[in-house]
Amino acid sequence: MKLIIIDYGAGNIKSIQFAFKRLGVDAVLSNNIEEIKAADKVIFPGVGEASSAMKMLRESGLDSVIPELKQPVLGICLGMQLMCNSSEEGNTKGLGIFNVAIKKFSSAVKVPQMGWNVITDLKSDLFTGVKEEEFMYLVHSFYAENCKEAIATTSYEIEYASALQKDNFYGVQFHPEKSSKAGEQILKNFLELKTNN
Amino acid sequence: MLTKRIIPCLDIKNGRTVKGVNFVNLIDAGDPVILAKQYAELGADELVFLDISATLEGRKTMLEMVLKVAEQVNIPFTVGGGISSVEDVDALLKCGADKISINSSAVKRPDLVNELSNKFGSQCVVVAIDAKQINGEWMVHLAGGTIPTALNLFDWAKEVESRGAGEILFTSMNNDGTKAGFANEALAKLSTELNIPIIASGGAGTVQHFTDTFTIGKADAALAASVFHFGEIAISALKKELKEQKIPVRL
């Protein structure tokens, strides 16, 4: 199986690569459009600031490629946020795959949310073997509002969508690569999803 | 609900753990990778590696260690010690560190906090502050608490928050090594006046100290070294006890 991690300069992708290696899969880093299109599975990572990450996607032409992908795609953290309609961070227009807006937590809570919180209301093959209220590691200041495409929710200030799915596109706000055994299970489930490419 | 984090801290010199470690039967208690894996399995929520190598050679070894930890450990970890530039941080993050912590270098050149948070994001920038209470006032100290500065703890903490720090690791030099509890009054003040997570450090001796630092001290996370390394407190037992005391923890 050919697993690609999209390498567009946004953040630490080594951890994701290592997490797959622990599952016995070599994930290839690439920003090559043809290579990404031909992959069986694609990881869309991202750490950092939304508007500069979108800028990097536009410069490489990936902004028009990602929404057209047919194989399973998993956005992680900022990757998931960029797959949404828009983000309050840097007033950014996103890829519009998920029909939801990204908002900022208010100062009623500590920002960023940093640490382990639970995911509930699990509704996807991505969570096979993962129990309700499982702990995931999260670090983020912006969140996706709860919406129809939510496949998991988490509570911090409000109940928000901590995972999203639409067709072949999956997004998780938490870091499965840093979320111990349960996180590994989610990555394993992603690897086992049917490939339509 | 977001849980309170328990963080063992490992001192590293030339790629090896320094203080003795004796909490389980390990073949090589000096190997930070083996230890890190063990702590992750025992329920630690995060790990901190503090590089106390004094030589360039030692620092290079640190990068190799970070790479090995990232390869094998499935929980987040922070690396601190001797970090003074964007290049240092870039190298550590590329090796798989999740967060970095800066201390003296931020005091010497506060713009470093802005540079790091702008380039890598606040989420990976931890500012460690060592402070000592002198005549009622908490003063920031450098070099492991040996060099006093004119900075007030709370002023400095607020300044680094405004410069983009994502988290504060506060070590009370009055409490460190005493095993008499954390500096909860100062911690509560930090936690109330700032809007970023605060990690309590210095003074852990009993389970009750952890309970107190989360309730009275309002800390978001608690860091300790020797009580974990010498098996005086087992992480799983600590978290069970915290849960019984209605403190949210990951079990």
Side-chain angles (χ1 to χ4, degrees), chain A residues 21-22 110 116-117 178, chain B residues 1 3 71 98 191 220:
Chain A
K21 198 172 159 194
R22 290 194 291 272
K110 290 199 177 184
W116 299 79
N117 200 337
K178 287 286 165 180
Chain B
M1 189 176 197
T3 53
E71 238 179 326
D98 298 285
S191 202
D220 299 285

Side-chain angles (χ1 to χ4, degrees), chain A residues 5 42 45 70 103 148 168 173-174 189-190 193:
Chain A
I5 301 176
V42 175
K70 299 288 178 269
K103 307 228 156 171
K148 270 200 286 193
N168 55 316
Q173 180 61 63
F174 47 83
N189 291 343
F190 179 72
L193 290 173

